């Protein structure tokens, strides 16, 4: 299991590295059929690049270089070109060698010289050279590569597979110490290529269990086992022994057990949820799947949680672990009205699990739910119950996105361009908006703090390269707190003052109470889209759509036991709100990014009336 690098886009990178030349060949490029012709085409191609540089390589140039390498005598000829005075020619020669099946060991010094010359495409060619020296060279260069793990050196190790294991194991002993970068690179390559490096698992286990092994080294070794994942199930008993004999490494041993999909995974991960919802733990439960079934009760315990994200992730994970406990909770989630995504995800999960116990509930959902998108997914799941061998194409795409699939396709409610519901204007003096009451809102300004994050070493980075893109990472990230005098963009009158809301987009926002007498008080940090009186309650429509964010929430604003104002999460929207208004029927119309809905005073979200 790739525990650390799940979100790093590895698949796309590897596909780009591994496409066969038949696919890479560009239309209209005539393949060369002898060494002289290929070399001539290679030199001609090299001349199209800026002097000394080879950037993005067209498909046709890949085809020329790889055709050259496949010819009899092509590999030695390309090796000779690695020392060509024109680095562009040498780089294209490296492209021809990077996927060669065999390169004689006598050419290793020339490859090393080419690598020292910084030929960026050459490292994978080391995998074609037999013998330990080539594998050691590839690992050594990978471990000092700034762009690892998704780079040519990483691809070289993936090509080497088991041949790279001895050198990687020596590095994992940390005999000379393992700094943060070395740990990062080792974990990265095992995460990307754990299946082909699985031979390392027994030795890593032995090393980690050695009483003389320093704790930081043993911790790394267990982390590497976790990255190897399900390719190393035979070492489960040994990990359980380390868990008991080395209490100081219990967390790391548990992580490795989860990584290999141990039968103990459910219990371990359930324990980790005791301190509250953790997305990483929920992700691991979903990845382990059925082997983590013992965590199902802990997941069910999160469904009532006030955090809407925790709820939806728990329901998603239940759909991966399965079992009677999970299926019962998924059936109950079909009727959950706090978040339209809950019945949507639960219905999909019941179909994937072929849960016959959910048939009646799915029939009801498919015929009575207000929104067509949810009725349709319930109907689709019913078909899966009737035809257990079939998986709809759209469901396959959903499954490929894992625990967070609910975020990506989005819940498309359908946009109502012609609402069949009239707006009700607020009573005069009861509500202020920035569009119409700018001056009055200025009198309700309050002190706020804008949080932002940046690189603590920005000045040093600019000193090295004034045009550099500033890099921000966990090691240099610092928080900036900037005081501002905030003018709200909406305000709602209450008996002793104003409830006000602000929205600074990616820079945040808040809900505050500005009393007629006394100081303002912020009581919720959220981007506020609007404030309304819905029935006899005050509600705030909040959310943001920015980059990968698309989220919305409706809060109820009320007095707490001491009489102060507070905001309680009430309903989760299926996307960021764009506009909202009270209808003549007393409901709240909300337009979100992917559709429209009505929220009733009782808290039901229903499909809004639209004119044809």
């Amino acid at each position: 299991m790739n525990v650390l690098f799940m979100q790093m886009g590895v698949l796309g990178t590897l596909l780009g590295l591994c496409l066969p030349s038949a696919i890479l060949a560009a239309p209209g490029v005539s393949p060369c059929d002898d060494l002289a012709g290929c070399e001539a085409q290679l030199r001609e191609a090299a001349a199209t690049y800026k002097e000394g540089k080879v950037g993005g390589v067209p498909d046709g140039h890949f085809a020329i270089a790889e055709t050259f390498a496949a010819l009899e005598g092509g590999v030695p000829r390309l090796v000779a070109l690695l020392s060509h005075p024109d680095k562009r020619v040498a780089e294209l020669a490296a492209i021809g060698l990077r996927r060669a099946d065999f390169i004689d060991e006598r050419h290793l010094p020339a490859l090393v010289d080419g690598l020292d010359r910084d030929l960026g495409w050459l490292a994978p060619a080391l995998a074609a050279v037999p013998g330990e020296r080539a594998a050691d060279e590839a690992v050594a260069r990978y471990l000092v590569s700034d762009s690892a793990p998704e780079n040519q050196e990483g691809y070289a190790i993936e090509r080497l597979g088991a041949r790279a294991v001895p050198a990687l194991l020596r590095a994992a002993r940390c005999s000379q110490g393992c700094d943060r970068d070395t740990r990062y690179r080792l974990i990265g390559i095992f995460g990307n290529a754990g299946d082909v490096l699985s031979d390392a698992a027994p030795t890593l286990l032995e090393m980690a269990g050695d009483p003389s092994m320093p704790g930081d080294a043993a911790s790394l070794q267990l982390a590497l086992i976790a990255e190897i994942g399900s390719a190393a199930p035979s070492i489960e008993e040994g990990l359980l022994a380390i868990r008991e004999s080395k209490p100081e490494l219990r967390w790391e041993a548990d992580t490795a057990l989860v990584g290999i999909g141990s039968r103990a995974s459910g219990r371990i991960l359930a324990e980790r949820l005791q301190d509250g919802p953790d997305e990483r733990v929920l992700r691991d439960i979903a990845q382990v799947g059925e082997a983590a079934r013992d965590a199902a009760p802990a997941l069910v315990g999160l469904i009532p949680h006030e955090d809407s994200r925790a709820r939806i992730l728990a329901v998603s994970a239940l759909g991966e672990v399965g079992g009677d406990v999970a299926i019962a909770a998924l059936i109950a989630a079909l009727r959950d009205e706090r978040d339209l995504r809950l019945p949507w995800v639960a219905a999909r999960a019941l179909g994937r699990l072929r849960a016959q116990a959910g048939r009646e509930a799915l029939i009801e959902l498919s015929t009575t739910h207000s929104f067509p998108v949810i009725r349709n997914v319930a109907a689709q799941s019913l078909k899966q119950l009737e035809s257990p061998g079939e998986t709809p194409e759209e469901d396959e795409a959903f499954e490929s996105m894992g625990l967070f699939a609910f975020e990506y396709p989005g819940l498309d409610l359908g946009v109502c361009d012609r609402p069949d519901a009239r707006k009700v204007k607020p009573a005069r003096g009861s509500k202020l908006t920035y569009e119409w009451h700018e001056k009055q809102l200025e009198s309700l300004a309050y002190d706020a703090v804008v949080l932002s994050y940046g690189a603590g070493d920005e000045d040093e980075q600019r000193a090295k390269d004034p045009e550099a893109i500033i890099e921000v990472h966990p090691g240099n990230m610092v928080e900036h707190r900037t005081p501002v005098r905030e003018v709200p963009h909406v305000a709602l009158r209450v008996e002793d003052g104003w409830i006000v809301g602000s929205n600074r987009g990616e820079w945040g926002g808040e809900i505050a109470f500005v009393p007629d007498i006394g100081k303002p008080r912020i009581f919720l940090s959220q981007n506020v889209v609007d404030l309304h009186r819905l029935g006899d309650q005050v509600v705030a429509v909040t959310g943001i759509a920015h980059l990968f964010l698309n989220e919305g929430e409706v809060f109820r604003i009320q007095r707490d036991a001491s009489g102060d104002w507070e905001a309680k999460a009430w309903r989760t929207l299926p996307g960021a709100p764009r506009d909202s208004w009270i209808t003549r029927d007393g409901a709240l119309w909300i337009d979100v990014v992917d559709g429209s809905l009505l929220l009733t005073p009782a808290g039901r979200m229903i499909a809004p009336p639209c004119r044809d």
Side-chain angles (χ1 to χ4, degrees):
M1 177 189 299
N2 187 342
V3 174
L4 183 62
F5 293 91
M6 189 182 81
Q7 302 293 337
M8 295 186 65
V10 173
L11 179 61
T13 301
L14 295 186
L15 286 173
L17 292 172
C18 302
L19 286 173
S21 58
I23 296 176
L24 289 168
V29 174
S30 300
C32 49
D33 52 13
D34 58 43
L35 295 180
C38 283
E39 183 167 340
Q41 286 194 23
L42 194 76
R43 291 172 183 269
E44 183 179 345
T48 64
Y49 297 95
K50 292 182 179 179
E51 188 171 353
K53 294 184 179 181
V54 174
V57 179
D59 294 348
H61 294 179
F62 270 98
I64 294 167
E66 293 182 357
T67 300
F68 197 162
L71 293 174
E72 184 177 355
V75 166
R77 192 80 161 255
L78 287 169
V79 169
L81 289 174
L82 294 177
S83 59
H84 194 282
D86 188 336
K87 190 176 179 181
R88 298 171 297 181
V89 173
E91 194 71 84
L92 291 181
I95 288 173
L97 294 169
R98 64 188 285 276
R99 295 189 61 226
D101 294 327
F102 175 80
I103 300 175
D104 195 285
E105 193 171 5
R106 63 190 171 88
H107 295 308
L108 181 58
L111 297 182
V112 171
D113 288 344
L115 289 165
D116 289 341
R117 194 183 178 189
D118 195 26
L119 298 179
W121 292 92
L122 187 57
L126 293 169
V129 179
E132 184 178 324
R133 286 195 305 150
D136 290 351
E137 185 73 30
V139 172
R141 289 183 179 273
Y142 171 81
L143 290 174
V144 297
S145 171
D146 290 338
S147 56
E150 281 88 17
N151 61 2
Q152 296 297 319
E153 287 80 6
Y155 179 43
I157 293 177
E158 293 178 50
R159 289 197 67 198
L160 283 161
R163 289 177 56 206
V165 165
L168 290 170
L169 288 173
R170 288 195 295 273
R173 288 186 179 276
C174 299
S175 301
Q176 307 300 318
C178 281
D179 58 24
R180 185 181 67 180
D181 289 340
T182 299
R183 294 176 68 91
Y184 172 83
R185 290 167 186 144
L186 283 171
I187 291 173
I189 196 60
F190 274 87
N192 289 354
D195 53 343
V196 298
L197 301 176
S198 59
D199 289 354
T203 305
L204 287 168
L205 177 68
E206 182 182 350
M207 290 160 57
D210 185 343
S212 65
M213 184 65 64
D216 60 343
S219 171
L220 171 63
Q221 292 145 17
L222 292 170
L224 298 183
I225 291 173
E227 295 298 328
I228 291 173
S230 58
S234 62
I235 63 174
E236 179 179 14
E237 293 302 323
L239 288 172
L240 289 168
I242 290 177
R243 187 178 192 269
E244 298 304 319
S245 64
K246 290 191 170 185
E248 71 278 10
L249 291 174
R250 182 171 178 175
W251 179 273
E252 290 82 356
D254 282 352
T255 301
L257 285 163
V258 171
I260 67 170
S262 162
R263 64 182 185 276
S265 296
R267 173 173 50 81
I268 291 167
L269 293 168
E271 288 177 2
R272 292 186 177 183
L273 286 177
Q274 289 178 356
D275 294 331
D278 183 321
E279 287 194 16
R280 293 168 297 181
V281 177
L282 293 167
R283 177 203 64 197
D284 289 345
I285 292 173
Q287 282 190 323
V288 173
E290 185 178 339
R293 188 165 288 176
D294 287 347
L299 295 174
V300 174
L302 289 178
I303 296 177
H305 201 280
E306 63 180 11
D307 184 333
S308 61
R309 190 169 177 83
R311 296 195 299 263
I312 191 71
L313 291 175
V315 171
S316 296
L318 284 168
E320 300 299 328
V321 303
D324 292 343
V325 172
I327 288 171
L330 290 169
I331 292 171
L334 296 178
R335 301 181 179 91
D336 198 314
E337 294 190 334
R338 293 169 297 170
D339 183 345
L340 290 172
R341 299 171 302 174
L342 289 174
W344 185 60
V345 170
R348 283 186 179 275
L350 290 168
R352 293 199 310 277
L353 293 171
R354 272 65 178 180
Q356 296 295 334
R359 178 181 295 276
E360 292 304 317
L362 287 170
I363 290 173
E364 179 183 353
L365 193 72
S366 70
T367 55
T368 65
H369 200 280
S370 177
F371 286 97
V373 64
I374 296 178
R375 295 198 301 270
N376 292 342
V377 77
Q380 175 182 300
S381 291
L382 285 168
K383 288 182 180 178
Q384 288 180 269
L385 299 186
E386 295 163 4
S387 304
E390 295 183 11
T391 298
E393 183 178 341
E394 57 268 32
D395 208 56
E396 291 178 357
F398 185 87
E399 287 183 30
S400 70
M401 296 176 186
L403 181 67
F404 303 94
F406 69 91
E407 293 183 327
Y408 296 103
L411 189 59
D412 189 353
L413 303 181
V415 177
C416 182
D417 293 324
R418 301 181 66 218
D420 191 12
R422 295 183 180 180
K423 295 182 180 181
V424 173
K425 292 184 179 181
R428 187 177 181 86
S430 66
K431 183 174 180 178
L432 306 176
T433 62
Y434 199 80
E435 182 181 6
W436 300 104
H437 309 95
E438 181 178 350
K439 290 296 183 183
Q440 291 156 281
L441 285 170
E442 288 176 0
S443 68
L444 300 176
Y446 56 92
D447 292 328
V449 174
V450 176
L451 293 180
S452 60
Y453 299 87
D457 59 351
E458 181 174 346
D459 291 341
E460 291 87 337
Q461 292 188 47
R462 292 197 185 281
K464 292 179 181 178
D465 182 359
E467 298 183 2
I469 297 175
I470 302 302
E471 295 184 8
V472 182
H473 53 76
N476 71 351
M477 185 182 295
V478 294
E479 180 184 273
H480 300 293
R481 302 176 67 89
T482 306
V484 296
R485 186 68 174 167
E486 185 70 23
V487 175
H489 77 271
V490 62
L492 202 65
R493 181 66 190 176
V494 291
E495 58 193 45
D496 52 354
W498 294 86
I499 303 295
V500 301
S502 296
N503 189 337
R504 296 183 294 275
E506 62 183 295
W507 307 111
E510 52 275 320
I511 303 176
F513 173 55
V514 180
D516 295 332
I517 300 174
K519 294 182 179 180
R521 183 180 69 86
I522 296 171
F523 58 91
L524 183 70
S525 294
Q526 285 285 337
N527 291 89
V528 180
V529 173
D530 213 339
L531 299 167
H532 300 280
R533 286 196 177 276
L534 179 60
D536 59 357
Q537 57 201 338
V538 175
V539 298
V541 180
T542 72
I544 183 173
H546 177 68
L547 298 178
F548 299 108
L549 293 175
N550 179 22
E551 56 193 27
E553 196 99 25
V554 178
F555 287 83
R556 283 200 289 200
I557 300 172
Q558 57 199 28
R559 302 275 193 181
D560 63 17
S562 66
D564 288 334
W565 289 99
E566 64 176 0
K568 293 283 189 180
W570 185 39
R571 293 294 181 262
T572 299
L573 300 173
R578 299 179 302 169
D579 192 13
S580 60
W581 38 274
I582 299 294
T583 71
R584 180 170 291 183
D585 293 331
L588 177 60
W589 185 293
I590 305 175
D591 288 328
V592 295
V593 168
D594 291 314
S596 308
L597 61 90
L598 277 180
L599 176 61
T600 71
R604 290 195 63 215
M605 287 182 277
I606 59 178
C610 293
R611 290 193 292 269
D612 295 334

